[in-house]
Amino acid sequence: MSDENRDIPSHFNPFFHDQTAGTTSTGNSTFPFLHGHNYHSMYSPQVGFDFPPPNYMNLFGTTHDHSSHAAASLDHYSAMSCSSPEAICPIDGGSRKPSGGGGGGGGVAESSDQNPLTPAHSSLSNSSSSEGAAHDQVKDSGKSKTDDHCEDDDEKLNKVNKPKKKGEKRERQPRFAFMTKSEIDNLEDGYRWRKYGQKAVKNSPFPRSYYRCTSQKCTVKKRVERSYEDPSTVITTYEGQHNHHSPATLRGNAAGIFFPPSSSFLQGSTSSLGPSFPQHLLTQMLPVNLNDDHHPNSMYYHQQQQQQQQLFQLPDYGLLQDIFPSFTQKEEP
DNA sequence: CGGCTTTGACCTGCGC
DNA sequence: GCGCAGGTCAAAGCCG
């Protein structure tokens, strides 16, 4: 299995987990995405969320049963609209290679080598982030294009080719990915998304869709793809933080609880591993024998993965909470 | 008519 | 340098 997994292209393994995180486990998080039994009391089904927790997958599709404390909630969720996060993990989109495999992870360049939190905070705290800049560039590009219809193809090419300076790289914002068992690709999360692209994914019969938050000045993106190993599993990757309330919230919907504006982000808080550190989540997300170097979640394995892909970093759970402020910890009885 | 999706072209970055 | 693959753009079309 491990050998198989090692061959899995990185883009099918959006989750990364490090032993440092995986070895800590106390308390019980109330992360709505993962703990349906908690989320149930927090979120209204009408929001459209459905994130039953009992079974989650690691990044390689292995289902782990946490029915001991959550199985009962499955039935609840089966009546709900869409999917269930099988796992969630922050992905550092910033400082490492783009999703590796053979490809280049696309036109997205790496960010600095800083803590993934740092660029994210700074970039969000002022709208001149590189991501925002990229966004502006896109707008500018589009604008100038419409303004100058009669430009020749060379000009067109220049516009498509972003006018960024040599050596200037676009920053990636922190990313979170989770797997959901769902027939629906695009999960309802309370925000409005505009699809801006779709690509065939190597080694997968399922295309990957690219969405962008429709809110102005909001640079949050998400990628949705279906696992080639388990077609019933949808891999959703969020990139960036919303700088606005969800439309659903404004309508009195509870969806905003899931993705409220990242206030601490905007304030530049580092909010590292504090009391709210959802350590239970760590084990929820990434159980496994970390000493088993044949296991995808093992130390050895991830060392290899990191070497190979340099994509996923230690999950920063302060960041997690920044992105999902409703992400809290509660003590285990 | 505005907002959204579709889709082909193009860009970037990486490995060989 | 070339080819590949991921990511993005933007025109065209669809839909309410």
Side-chain angles (χ1 to χ4, degrees):
Chain A
M1 171 174 180
S2 57
D3 287 338
E4 262 180 48
N5 289 337
R6 286 172 193 180
D7 292 332
I8 296 176
S10 65
H11 50 273
F12 293 125
N13 304 328
F15 310 107
F16 176 73
H17 154 61
D18 185 275
Q19 69 280 9
T20 309
T23 47
T24 54
S25 68
T26 58
N28 185 15
S29 71
T30 57
F31 194 60
F33 280 54
L34 303 171
H35 294 260
H37 51 301
N38 289 323
Y39 132 65
H40 212 49
S41 61
M42 298 172 63
Y43 305 109
S44 159
Q46 62 188 345
V47 172
F49 266 94
D50 182 13
F51 288 122
N55 298 308
Y56 66 90
M57 288 182 181
N58 64 21
L59 35 163
F60 303 96
T62 305
T63 300
H64 300 261
D65 188 2
H66 282 246
S67 55
S68 60
H69 61 263
S73 56
L74 247 189
D75 291 337
H76 288 301
Y77 299 96
S78 60
M80 291 179 162
S81 59
C82 45
S83 57
S84 54
E86 309 293 348
I88 180 168
C89 184
I91 293 176
D92 166 52
S95 54
R96 300 300 176 191
K97 274 186 190 174
S99 54
V108 185
E110 312 98 85
S111 72
S112 68
D113 290 325
Q114 303 174 18
N115 181 325
L117 269 177
T118 308
H121 282 149
S122 59
S123 67
L124 279 172
S125 57
N126 74 48
S127 55
S128 63
S129 70
S130 58
E131 187 75 18
H135 212 70
D136 291 344
Q137 287 169 351
V138 169
K139 286 178 183 175
D140 291 341
S141 161
K143 179 190 171 191
S144 57
K145 180 143 192 174
T146 48
D147 288 346
D148 307 312
H149 289 289
C150 47
E151 287 176 346
D152 59 19
D153 287 346
D154 286 346
E155 290 259 350
K156 178 181 176 180
L157 287 179
N158 286 338
K159 281 168 186 166
V160 175
N161 186 6
K162 293 193 173 182
K164 68 184 173 192
K165 289 182 180 178
K166 232 179 188 178
E168 193 174 309
K169 293 183 178 180
R170 220 189 313 176
E171 269 183 33
R172 250 211 199 286
Q173 299 203 358
R175 288 188 293 169
F176 275 84
F178 54 89
M179 289 177 167
T180 61
K181 285 271 188 186
S182 174
E183 310 236 332
I184 302 170
D185 286 347
N186 195 2
L187 307 178
E188 177 60 51
D189 58 10
Y191 284 90
R192 297 179 63 199
W193 301 93
R194 173 174 301 168
K195 190 175 185 177
Y196 67 89
Q198 177 172 307
K199 285 284 292 187
V201 178
K202 187 189 175 190
N203 295 335
S204 173
F206 307 106
R208 173 183 300 152
S209 297
Y210 299 89
Y211 297 87
R212 183 177 288 140
C213 181
T214 59
S215 177
Q216 279 192 335
K217 296 181 181 178
C218 183
T219 61
V220 176
K221 296 170 190 172
K222 79 172 176 182
R223 287 187 334 203
V224 177
E225 63 187 282
R226 207 163 269 282
S227 167
Y228 80 111
E229 283 190 325
D230 180 5
S232 66
T233 298
V234 176
I235 301 172
T236 305
T237 305
Y238 287 92
E239 180 177 337
Q241 284 77 51
H242 294 282
N243 57 8
H244 59 96
H245 289 281
S246 82
T249 302
L250 295 176
R251 291 196 303 264
N253 200 313
I257 298 173
F258 287 100
F259 297 101
S262 53
S263 55
S264 60
F265 249 81
L266 295 173
Q267 292 164 6
S269 160
T270 56
S271 78
S272 52
L273 311 177
S276 57
F277 185 74
Q279 299 182 5
H280 179 65
L281 173 62
L282 302 181
T283 47
Q284 286 285 325
M285 292 161 50
L286 320 150
V288 209
N289 178 5
L290 297 171
N291 295 321
D292 175 11
D293 62 4
H294 293 299
H295 195 285
N297 277 10
S298 73
M299 294 170 57
Y300 172 74
Y301 183 84
H302 283 304
Q303 283 168 6
Q304 286 195 328
Q305 289 293 305
Q306 279 189 300
Q307 287 169 5
Q308 288 177 7
Q309 303 169 12
Q310 293 293 300
L311 170 63
F312 306 115
Q313 280 192 322
L314 277 170
D316 186 321
Y317 294 92
L319 174 61
L320 230 188
Q321 192 173 33
D322 273 333
I323 295 180
F324 304 109
S326 56
F327 186 30
T328 59
Q329 176 188 7
K330 95 180 172 191
E331 293 301 325
E332 230 169 28

